[in-house]
Amino acid sequence: MGMDMGEMTWNRKLLDYPITWQTAHERKGFDFTQITPEQGKLIQSRFHNWYTADWDFALTTVYFFCAAIGVAALFRWGSWALHRRSAVPRSRASAFDRLVAILSYTTSRVWRFKVFGNYYTPPLAAIIAIGAMFIWVMALMLGPKPFYYPNPVMGHSPPIATRTGWMSIGIMPFMIAFASKTNYVALLTRTSHERLQVFHRWSALLMYMTSLVHTFPFIVRDINEGMMEMNWATDRFYWTGVAALVPQTWLLAMSWGFIRNRYYEFFKKMHFIAASIFMAALFCHVNFFLTSWHYFWATLALYGTVWVYRVVRATLTPGTAIVSVLEDRTLHIRIAVPNSFRWAAGQHVFVRFLFGPLHWASSHPFTIANVPAVGEPNGAGLQQIELVLRARYGITKALEKAAAKGKTCISVFVDGPYGHVGLASDLRRFDRVLFLAGGSGASFTIPLLIDLERNRSSRPADATTRFVVAVREGGAFTWLERQMKPLNDLETIGVAQSTHVTRQKVEEIDPEKGDSKSDDNFGSLQNGRPNIYELVRELCEEPGRVAVVACGPDEFAHDVRSAVAAEQLSLALGRGVASEVFLHVENYSW
């Protein structure tokens, strides 16, 4: 069957010529006499016509994602506007408050599966959204029949392969958009870029799934017809498709959390290299058929504009990082930045450390641990941002080793700030605020606490605040005291503080080492971990609006989310006392 292998000519062309913007949506020169009238009607109908498959499947996928983002934006901005207008506290929750509570419950509730090595699920709202994405993809992929043409004359491409190929192309711009740090979707939905990473990963998985379903029908058909070797040698669509599928497989396989977090520098560099190869191969594979290249231009616009913006902004913010090694493998980093650099409490930056063969090419996210100075800028035209982090592995371990060898001054570029710019101001409307921090997570909660007390006049008259931090050893008091100093300079009212030491008895802390501080700095000192469920329950026992802000390790964040979700569900069911229970959890890693 077919051509002799010795007679085959390898098709090395990457693209067909002449290159055009797109190809026509018209069927020309087709002989309808070789198929039945029913078959002719089928291949010209919607969702079965190869020449309009881009409109039927790729564009329909775009409509779905746009509608989902629109609904999320409407809810996020609508909820914010209604809460801002309704400033008068209510003694009882209204129907609107209960609706917000059930929606808030879905953003708080997570599950932990110990059988998978303490795997933590995304929030319930993300699971619902991902489930909707999966159902949509499956319905669009498996809904239209048939999967294969009953008559080979009807078309070269199996229908299920055609539709899934176009669905992959339709997913692509959104998959890339979810990944960027300066993020259009984040702007539209009033959220921070890191909270969209879960959608980047799952949309990438869905795109991979549709890519596989696009690939295998061709393989199955060609093997059955004895045409596989000939098509591989003569049809460039086969080898360009494989050239795209191999790096796509690598991207999925190497993006698991334990690999990404443990080998971040290696992961990030290889991720960009593999993604570049994948996009180039896919660009050649689709060969400007119909409107396929339009989706690449859209992707380039979505990612390219924000990438250029980030590069320019980071280049304009050079600095020198001064690294200090504290107890308990804690690093304190000070970076001088121009006075034009503006940030709000609770935001973070990406820092590119210009040392070592691996680290200069990667930027790393760190929370800004201090608040902007009050008053006129200093005459030098510079101000400082401070970072507090624990040395674990990757860049933090490298910084610790460099500082131990005497290299404490490192040139950097600072990209940012990023994060929820309105969080600090949003907290001012609540009657009671509870800050919970685990270890260096206090570098996130302390600036928010200081900002809240600086703007005491913008809060309800009887507003109260509670700050709870858990540290391993008394050595952490050194950097905690430094970060808390601006708070001690303020006249605080209604602020309760407590510090929990988990791996050392409070009674054993040695005053000679300077790690035993007065209650004025840290409130009550207690042994063991804080009872998070009890703290949250007490917060919600009285009428009013309450907020919980937390940052810490995964287990710590899980307990906070579970405790708050229980109170939100109670409010939604009409059993709660508080009129609103708000939660913001900042994760250690994404």
Side-chain angles (χ1 to χ4, degrees), residues 91-107:
S91 57
R92 298 187 61 182
S94 65
F96 173 76
D97 292 329
R98 294 173 63 180
L99 173 62
V100 170
I102 193 61
L103 294 174
S104 299
Y105 170 82
T106 66
T107 64

Side-chain angles (χ1 to χ4, degrees), residues 76 78-90 96-97 100 104 190 420 422-433 451-452 455-465 543-548 579-583:
R76 294 281 297 177
S79 176
W80 173 80
L82 287 172
H83 278 129
R84 297 285 291 184
R85 291 185 61 185
S86 182
V88 179
R90 293 183 290 271
F96 173 76
D97 292 329
V100 170
S104 299
R190 199 175 181 266
H420 199 325
L423 177 61
S425 58
D426 286 350
L427 292 176
R428 298 167 195 166
R429 67 183 179 84
F430 290 96
D431 301 295
R432 297 184 300 281
V433 179
D451 179 87
L452 203 60
N455 294 276
R456 180 76 197 184
S457 60
S458 301
R459 302 185 65 192
D462 57 349
T464 59
T465 305
R545 293 173 172 161
V546 301
V548 179
S579 56
E580 181 183 355
V581 182
F582 170 84
L583 172 67

Side-chain angles (χ1 to χ4, degrees), residues 142-214:
L142 302 178
K145 302 292 190 302
F147 297 154
Y148 292 86
Y149 286 129
N151 185 345
V153 179
M154 296 173 69
H156 171 74
S157 179
I160 193 169
T162 298
R163 71 185 68 144
T164 49
W166 284 110
M167 290 167 65
S168 298
I169 295 298
I171 293 171
M172 178 180 65
F174 297 93
M175 183 262 293
I176 298 297
F178 289 139
S180 59
K181 297 178 180 67
T182 303
N183 196 303
Y184 292 116
V185 179
L187 291 174
L188 289 172
T189 56
R190 199 175 181 266
T191 190
S192 186
H193 68 94
E194 71 274 9
R195 299 182 183 275
L196 298 176
Q197 289 297 313
V198 63
F199 299 109
H200 166 63
R201 295 166 193 154
W202 282 94
S203 60
L205 182 60
L206 290 174
M207 184 180 177
Y208 183 65
M209 181 181 72
T210 54
S211 298
L212 292 177
V213 178
H214 169 72

Side-chain angles (χ1 to χ4, degrees), residues 324 328-333 353 365-367 387-392 395-397 399 440 443 479:
S324 303
D328 196 22
R329 299 194 67 188
T330 301
L331 304 180
H332 180 265
I333 301 175
F353 294 92
F366 299 107
T367 300
L387 314 176
V388 176
L389 48 131
R390 289 197 75 246
R392 301 176 65 192
I395 185 62
T396 56
K397 186 176 182 180
L399 289 170
S440 59
S443 63
W479 65 265

Side-chain angles (χ1 to χ4, degrees), residues 278-408:
F278 165 65
M279 294 296 288
L282 187 60
F283 183 80
C284 296
H285 178 67
V286 300
N287 193 51
F288 61 83
F289 273 144
L290 301 179
T291 57
S292 57
W293 275 6
H294 294 195
Y295 296 86
F296 283 86
W297 310 139
T299 302
L300 180 62
L302 288 171
Y303 187 79
T305 53
V306 296
W307 182 83
V308 170
Y309 172 74
R310 286 186 54 236
V311 169
V312 171
R313 184 167 66 166
T315 303
L316 296 176
T317 317
T320 300
I322 309 299
V323 183
S324 303
V325 181
L326 308 178
E327 294 188 51
D328 196 22
R329 299 194 67 188
T330 301
L331 304 180
H332 180 265
I333 301 175
R334 291 173 294 152
I335 303 175
V337 295
N339 284 329
S340 57
F341 186 88
R342 293 285 183 266
W343 77 94
Q347 291 194 286
H348 59 271
V349 291
F350 283 80
V351 183
R352 189 181 304 274
F353 294 92
L354 304 181
F355 82 105
L358 291 177
H359 307 298
W360 67 269
S362 298
S363 57
H364 301 264
F366 299 107
T367 300
I368 304 175
N370 62 314
V371 292
V374 178
E376 293 296 323
N378 61 60
L382 296 174
Q383 59 183 330
Q384 284 193 344
I385 61 173
E386 299 180 21
L387 314 176
V388 176
L389 48 131
R390 289 197 75 246
R392 301 176 65 192
Y393 37 70
I395 185 62
T396 56
K397 186 176 182 180
L399 289 170
E400 182 186 37
K401 288 183 176 180
K405 295 177 181 178
K407 186 176 179 58
T408 58

